[in-house]
């Protein structure tokens, strides 16, 4: 609404003197006229006063908000009409003599008065009709009909003698017409004030009292009409007073707006009153032995006006209902749409019983669309919608959010009951669906949230349900209840993944997100305890979280597509270190771990070549470790890539051997030099005979295939001894050394060199 538009400031004359001065003048003139009998004085003064009221109103128009200007502008015209009526009357009084003068005077005031009422009515319409300037012709038909109905009532009252009216000329009729019009406008003002939310607006009450009083004055004066038929002095004075009261009302500061009052109740009530009154007149008149056709005609017009208004209101309501429904329903399924559901959810959430919300996302629906086309997809959505609807009871509202997403809001916050409903809906979705003769099976991921989970201010409920739905989706479908701790963890992971991406895309020296560091763990030959290799294991020195182990971020890197970039960083560092060791005369290959996505990455081979070249490392100085599971992920491809790697002279180790299920056929085809026995076997070796048997079998197999066996996770001398006894080639583990930062690894190597030299000297 444009209510906040500030009207332009203008210099405004104070309304007090503008109204009180003329009022005093008219009072004085009335006294003079009464005493001297000089007709027309009061009317002339009244015309001046009404003009003055018009000035006040015109000034007020500038001060009012846009939606009120219509009212006061029309009120200004209204008082000007009265001024004109009074002026004509004064003119006639002063110039014309005889019976014609009386008629003319009566007609002048009546025309002026009726036009004034019509103007005020127009203003009232712009005020009433939703505080806009929209005015419909039917409003006028209603008003005219009502006035004619009221007139019928008055004419009937005169005819049956309830109202005594004995006067020559047009005087009596003038009174009746003015009274009828004023009465209808007063009634309308009353309805607008009471039903239209204007009860605390003093201006509405002032106008109402003014109009009502004027109508009463017109009727009360009927028995005392002057013999010459001219309007009595009190009538002239009253009309003048009415213009001043109207101007006074216009000068009152409006109270603050309180919402809208777009109510069809106002117009409907007006129409009903008009119909009822007119019908009553019709009935009463027909009971009279000699009814006048005038009364019947007027009353019939009143009924017709009222009916027109009612019809229009009804059709408006129907149209409104239709657009409301359209804005609130999903066109494909006919159930509520997201907006409608959120409104209901808000309502339920605000109630004592709270609300629960289910968000349902179909799984594999895209396949249906892709494979059978969109019409079939639409049919499936409709079927699912029907099924969901069938499983819900009265306290639930089903909505389609669009696409293949649905929502259900329940009128309670009981999570257990909501979960039961969710499972029932899940079952409903999973039942086979016939799509153009073929059976399709869908699944769904359903998230459950409830206002019982805590502060559910703006949109939180939907976010919870969405989060739970995504968790369900990640878990492969089914029902998930929102879990705040898991949500916090997820958000934390997302933050960490973002930081990792930033770290990997930042230039090398940029330490804002910390740095990736390699720790090196030695591998020893079982026969002579020589250090024969180092495994490079990555860590993230995070600026806030400290040194993060690979378990904290490797999976994240894999999920967010950062794994290859990470591996390139690792390769660069590892090959540089290996090259230095090579340059220092150490035969110390460095092993780097390759993940599944890296093995499948088209950039892997160029990247390996690039790292070797950049570091100046001979290929034998690098070993890549690939887990058994990775190799079995796409065995054909693995064989092809690992051949390429091996052809370059880079070493290949099969990592975590025994933890997955490798196919021996493929194992035979892989150009690996080394099997790394998984830590789980090493750990149980000395305590479990079955493990011992498996390890010894594995050793035999490895040696048969021409592979070295390296045992990971050797923590104690006893295990190392047992492995040596069984013929194991190499060992790696805390017994020899934990993964160490490069400086520590260097120190560790030098210390071993010293010890070796000392032993040699001693021997
Ligand atoms: P992995 O390749 O099996 O590496 C060996 C893990 O076992 C390392 O854990 C190491 O610290 C730990 N370990 C070594 N000796 C012992 C021992 O005697 N006892 C016990 N209990 N543990 C021992 P870490 O460094 O936490 O690395 C975990 C995993 O992260 C690695 O398992 C590897 O799969 C992965 N990873 C590490 N760095 C990289 C990398 O640069 N790229 C890729 N793709 N994965 C990496
Ligand atoms: Ca490894
Ligand atoms: Ca391993």
């Amino acid at each position: 609404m444009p209510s906040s538009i500030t009207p332009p400031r203008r210099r405004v004359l104070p309304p007090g003197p503008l109204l009180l001065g003329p009022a005093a003048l008219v009072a004085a003139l009335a006294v003079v006229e009464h005493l001297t009998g000089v007709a027309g004085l009061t009317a002339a003064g009244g015309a001046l006063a009404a003009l003055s009221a018009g000035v006040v109103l015109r000034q007020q128009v500038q001060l009012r908000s846009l939606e009120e200007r219509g009212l006061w502008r029309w009120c200004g015209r209204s008082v000007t009409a009265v001024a004109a009526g009074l002026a004509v009357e004064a003119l006639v009084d002063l110039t014309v003599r005889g019976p014609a003068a009386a008629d003319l005077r009566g007609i002048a005031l009546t025309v002026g008065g009726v036009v004034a009422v019509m103007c005020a009515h127009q203003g009232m319409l712009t005020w009433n009709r939703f505080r806009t300037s929209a005015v419909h012709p039917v409003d006028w038909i209603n008003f005219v009909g009502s006035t004619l109905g009221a007139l019928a009532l008055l004419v009937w009252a005169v005819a049956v003698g309830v109202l005594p009216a004995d006067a020559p000329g047009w005087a009596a009729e003038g009174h009746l017409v003015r009274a009828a019009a004023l009465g209808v406008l007063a009634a309308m003002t009353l309805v607008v004030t009471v039903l239209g939310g204007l009860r605390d607006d003093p201006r509405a009450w002032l106008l109402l009292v003014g109009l009502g009083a004027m109508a009463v004055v017109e009727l009360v004066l009927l028995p005392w009409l002057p013999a010459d038929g001219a309007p009595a002095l009190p009538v002239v004075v009253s009309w003048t007073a009415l213009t001043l009261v109207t101007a006074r009302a216009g000068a009152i500061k409006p109270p603050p707006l309180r919402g809208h009052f777009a109510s069809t109740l106002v117009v409907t009530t007006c129409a009903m009153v008009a119909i009822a009154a007119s019908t009553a007149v019709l009935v009463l008149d027909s009971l009279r032995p000699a009814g006048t056709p005038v009364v019947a005609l007027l009353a019939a017009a009143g009924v017709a006006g009222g009916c027109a208004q009612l019809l229009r209101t009804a059709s408006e309501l129907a149209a409104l209902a239709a657009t409301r429904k359209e804005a609130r329903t999903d066109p494909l399924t006919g159930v509520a749409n997201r907006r409608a559901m959120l409104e209901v959810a808000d309502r339920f959430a605000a109630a004592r019983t709270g609300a629960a919300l289910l968000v349902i996302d179909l799984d594999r629906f895209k396949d249906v669309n892709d494979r059978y086309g969109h019409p079939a997809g639409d049919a499936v959505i409709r079927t699912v919608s029907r099924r969901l609807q069938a499983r819900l009871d009265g306290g639930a509202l089903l909505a389609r959010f669009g696409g293949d997403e649905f929502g259900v809001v329940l009128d309670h916050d009981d999570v257990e009951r909501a979960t039961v409903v969710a499972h029932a809906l899940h079952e409903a979705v999973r039942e086979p669906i016939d799509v153009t003769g073929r059976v399709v099976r869908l699944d769904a991921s359903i998230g459950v949230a409830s206002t019982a989970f805590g502060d559910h201010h703006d949109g939180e409920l939907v976010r919870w349900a969405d989060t739970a739905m995504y968790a369900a989706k990640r878990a492969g479908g089914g029902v998930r209840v929102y879990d705040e701790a898991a949500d916090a963890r997820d958000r934390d992971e997302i933050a960490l993944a973002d930081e990792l991406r930033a770290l990997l895309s930042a230039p090398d020296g940029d330490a804002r997100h910390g740095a990736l560091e390699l720790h090196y763990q030695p591998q020893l030959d079982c026969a002579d305890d020589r250090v024969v290799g180092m495994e490079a294991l990555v860590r993230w020195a995070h600026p806030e979280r400290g040194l993060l182990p690979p378990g904290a971020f490797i999976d994240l890197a894999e999920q967010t597509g950062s794994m290859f970039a990470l591996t390139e960083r690792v390769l660069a560092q590892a090959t540089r270190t290996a090259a230095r060791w090579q340059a220092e005369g150490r035969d110390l290959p460095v092993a780097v771990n390759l993940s599944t996505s890296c093995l499948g990455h088209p950039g892997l081979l160029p990247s390996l070549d690039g790292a070797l070249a950049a570091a100046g490392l001979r290929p034998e100085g690098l070993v890549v470790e690939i887990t058994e599971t990775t190799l079995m992920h796409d065995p054909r491809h693995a064989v092809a890539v690992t051949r390429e790697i091996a052809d370059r002279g880079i070493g290949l180790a099969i990592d975590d051997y025994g933890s997955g299920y490798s196919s021996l056929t493929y194992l035979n085809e892989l150009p690996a030099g080394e099997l790394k026995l998984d830590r789980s076997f090493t750990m149980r070796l000395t305590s479990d005979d079955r493990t011992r048997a498996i390890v010894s079998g594995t050793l035999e197999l490895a040696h048969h295939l021409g592979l070295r066996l390296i045992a990971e996770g050797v923590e104690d001398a006893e295990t190392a001894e047992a492995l040596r006894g069984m013929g194991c080639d190499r060992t790696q583990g805390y017994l020899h050394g934990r993964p160490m930062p490069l400086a520590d690894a260097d120190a560790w190597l030098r210390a071993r060199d010293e010890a070796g030299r000392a032993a040699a000297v001693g021997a």
Side-chain angles (χ1 to χ4, degrees):
M1 293 301 293
S3 60
S4 57
I5 294 176
T6 334
R9 290 254 156 252
R10 285 224 197 147
R11 229 172 61 78
V12 172
L13 301 169
L18 274 179
L19 299 177
L20 287 178
L25 174 72
V26 171
L29 286 174
V31 173
V32 173
E33 183 173 339
H34 183 68
L35 295 179
T36 61
V38 182
L41 283 183
T42 316
L48 275 178
L51 279 177
S52 178
V55 170
V56 170
L57 283 167
R58 218 155 306 134
Q59 287 188 345
Q60 294 305 318
V61 169
Q62 307 304 324
L63 300 176
R64 295 293 161 248
S65 61
L66 278 180
E67 49 206 8
E68 283 208 348
R69 286 191 194 170
L71 169 66
W72 300 113
R73 189 172 291 131
W74 281 106
C75 280
R77 288 170 190 159
S78 170
V79 298
T80 310
V82 174
L86 290 173
V88 172
E89 192 193 328
L91 211 63
V92 172
D93 268 338
L94 296 171
T95 54
V96 189
R97 292 276 168 262
D103 274 354
L104 273 178
R105 283 180 291 186
I107 289 170
L109 189 60
T110 303
V111 171
V114 168
V115 171
V117 168
M118 284 164 67
C119 288
H121 169 254
Q122 178 72 19
M124 203 63 83
L125 283 183
T126 69
W127 207 18
N128 159 27
R129 286 208 65 77
F130 325 137
R131 291 196 169 139
T132 71
S133 311
V135 179
H136 196 272
V138 171
D139 293 322
W140 271 100
I141 296 177
N142 184 32
F143 175 70
V144 173
S146 304
T147 306
L148 294 179
L151 192 56
L153 187 69
L154 295 179
V155 171
W156 173 80
V158 171
V160 296
V162 175
L163 272 181
D166 208 8
W170 287 90
E173 283 80 358
H175 275 271
L176 292 181
V177 169
R178 295 194 302 263
L182 285 165
V184 168
L185 186 59
M188 186 177 152
T189 310
L190 178 68
V191 175
V192 168
T193 307
V194 174
L195 300 179
L198 292 173
R199 256 169 283 193
D200 56 353
D201 194 333
R203 303 169 305 163
W205 290 109
L206 199 52
L207 287 178
L208 174 60
V209 169
L211 291 167
M214 190 65 235
V216 170
V217 167
E218 292 279 10
L219 291 181
V220 165
L221 289 179
L222 261 181
W224 292 287
L225 291 176
D228 64 355
L233 256 190
V235 176
V236 173
V237 172
S238 305
W239 274 99
T240 310
L242 181 59
T243 62
L244 296 175
V245 165
T246 305
R248 183 70 199 98
I252 294 176
K253 207 169 156 278
L257 275 187
R258 274 230 239 101
H260 252 227
F261 58 98
S263 164
T264 49
L265 201 55
V266 176
V267 273
T268 312
T269 309
C270 288
M272 297 290 275
V273 170
I275 293 174
S278 305
T279 313
V281 173
L282 273 179
V283 171
L284 288 173
D285 195 50
S286 68
L287 293 179
R288 238 162 21 107
T292 50
V294 178
V295 172
L297 280 175
L298 291 175
V303 173
C307 287
Q309 180 67 60
L310 278 189
L311 273 177
R312 171 180 171 224
T313 308
S315 80
E316 265 182 0
L317 280 179
L320 191 68
T323 46
R324 277 226 180 123
K325 187 157 184 282
E326 230 163 71
R328 263 146 232 275
T329 50
D330 170 53
L332 180 61
T333 58
V335 301
N337 62 14
R338 185 186 178 91
R339 192 173 122 198
M341 202 211 68
L342 293 181
E343 273 176 23
V344 173
D346 278 349
R347 220 170 39 228
F348 285 177
R352 194 178 39 80
T353 42
L357 183 67
L358 317 181
V359 168
I360 306 164
D361 194 274
L362 302 187
D363 299 335
R364 295 199 292 274
F365 176 70
K366 203 179 161 300
D367 291 352
V368 175
N369 255 344
D370 291 350
R371 220 182 288 170
Y372 305 104
H374 281 267
D378 286 356
V380 167
I381 290 289
R382 270 196 292 266
T383 307
V384 170
S385 167
R386 258 198 312 278
R387 280 189 193 169
L388 294 177
Q389 190 72 281
R391 303 275 177 123
L392 295 170
D393 62 18
L397 177 81
L398 173 68
R400 177 167 170 247
F401 286 180
D404 57 355
E405 206 175 66
F406 290 87
V408 173
V409 61
L410 303 173
D411 63 350
H412 61 76
D413 62 2
D414 186 330
V415 180
E416 245 167 72
R417 271 166 62 202
T419 311
V420 171
V421 173
H423 281 291
L425 298 181
H426 186 225
E427 280 315 306
V429 172
R430 281 160 55 94
E431 278 166 22
I433 299 179
D434 182 88
V435 182
T436 56
R438 257 165 302 195
V439 172
V440 171
R441 276 168 204 279
L442 292 177
D443 204 336
S445 303
I446 305 183
V448 181
S450 155
T451 51
F453 290 162
D455 185 9
H456 48 83
H457 56 280
D458 35 51
E460 209 61 344
L461 196 58
V462 184
R463 200 187 66 74
W464 291 339
D466 269 340
T467 306
M469 186 274 285
Y470 283 119
K473 187 144 281 203
R474 276 200 300 276
V479 175
R480 272 292 161 102
V481 177
Y482 173 73
D483 174 354
E484 195 179 355
D487 186 23
R489 265 199 311 277
D490 284 354
R491 284 204 249 184
D492 192 55
E493 276 202 350
I494 290 169
L496 200 62
D498 285 346
E499 287 178 273
L500 184 61
R501 232 193 323 262
L503 167 74
L504 290 172
S505 55
D508 246 340
D510 186 345
R512 261 178 308 158
H513 301 285
L516 292 182
E517 283 177 9
L518 290 187
H519 285 200
Y520 296 88
Q521 187 175 35
Q523 301 171 334
L524 268 66
D525 193 298
C526 287
D528 52 12
D529 269 355
R530 246 178 344 112
V531 188
V532 287
M534 286 281 193
E535 180 175 0
L537 295 155
V538 71
R539 270 94 184 104
W540 179 2
H542 190 279
E544 285 127 35
R545 304 179 195 223
L547 195 68
L548 297 177
F553 60 93
I554 286 283
D555 284 350
L556 270 189
E558 193 76 273
Q559 282 161 22
T560 57
S562 311
M563 197 59 216
F564 188 71
L566 184 145
T567 305
E568 285 196 304
R569 296 271 174 123
V570 170
L571 270 175
Q573 279 191 43
T575 47
R576 233 179 298 143
T577 305
R580 178 162 63 76
W581 282 333
Q582 223 168 44
E584 286 170 9
R586 298 183 191 280
D587 180 16
L588 208 53
V590 171
V592 167
N593 294 280
L594 284 191
S595 74
T596 311
S597 68
C598 288
L599 193 67
H601 200 286
L604 176 64
L605 294 171
S607 196
L608 285 170
D609 295 340
L612 289 175
L617 180 68
R618 289 190 300 277
E620 314 85 74
L622 181 66
V623 176
V624 292
E625 296 192 1
I626 304 174
T627 66
E628 197 188 19
T629 333
T630 292
L631 290 165
M632 289 307 126
H633 184 72
D634 181 358
R636 252 171 234 292
H637 181 74
V639 169
V641 177
T642 49
R643 284 245 165 88
E644 292 266 11
I645 293 174
D647 285 349
R648 285 165 162 76
I650 298 171
L652 176 70
I654 297 171
D655 205 358
D656 299 349
Y657 182 75
S659 65
Y661 308 88
S662 6
S663 149
L664 290 176
T665 355
Y666 279 111
L667 209 56
N668 195 22
E669 285 180 45
L670 289 167
E674 215 166 48
L675 269 193
K676 293 190 80 175
L677 183 70
D678 193 67
R679 199 169 70 221
S680 53
F681 294 99
T682 312
M683 305 245 271
R684 288 196 304 266
L685 183 68
T686 52
S687 59
D688 180 34
D689 285 343
R690 281 169 53 90
T691 305
R692 206 185 158 85
I694 292 172
V695 172
S696 118
T698 308
L699 256 168
E700 205 170 318
L701 171 73
H703 288 164
H704 258 298
L705 295 173
L707 297 165
R708 266 195 311 269
L709 190 83
I710 171 162
E712 288 189 292
V714 179
E715 293 185 355
D716 52 73
E718 195 192 347
T719 307
E721 202 44 53
L723 284 163
R724 194 199 313 267
M726 292 166 79
C728 180
D729 303 284
R730 293 173 173 186
T731 49
Q732 176 184 347
Y734 292 172
L735 174 66
H736 310 309
R738 294 189 174 243
M740 298 167 267
L742 182 57
D744 293 6
D746 276 323
W748 184 88
L749 284 170
R750 277 196 300 275
R752 275 192 74 91
D753 292 346
E754 289 296 327
R757 267 198 293 279
V761 169

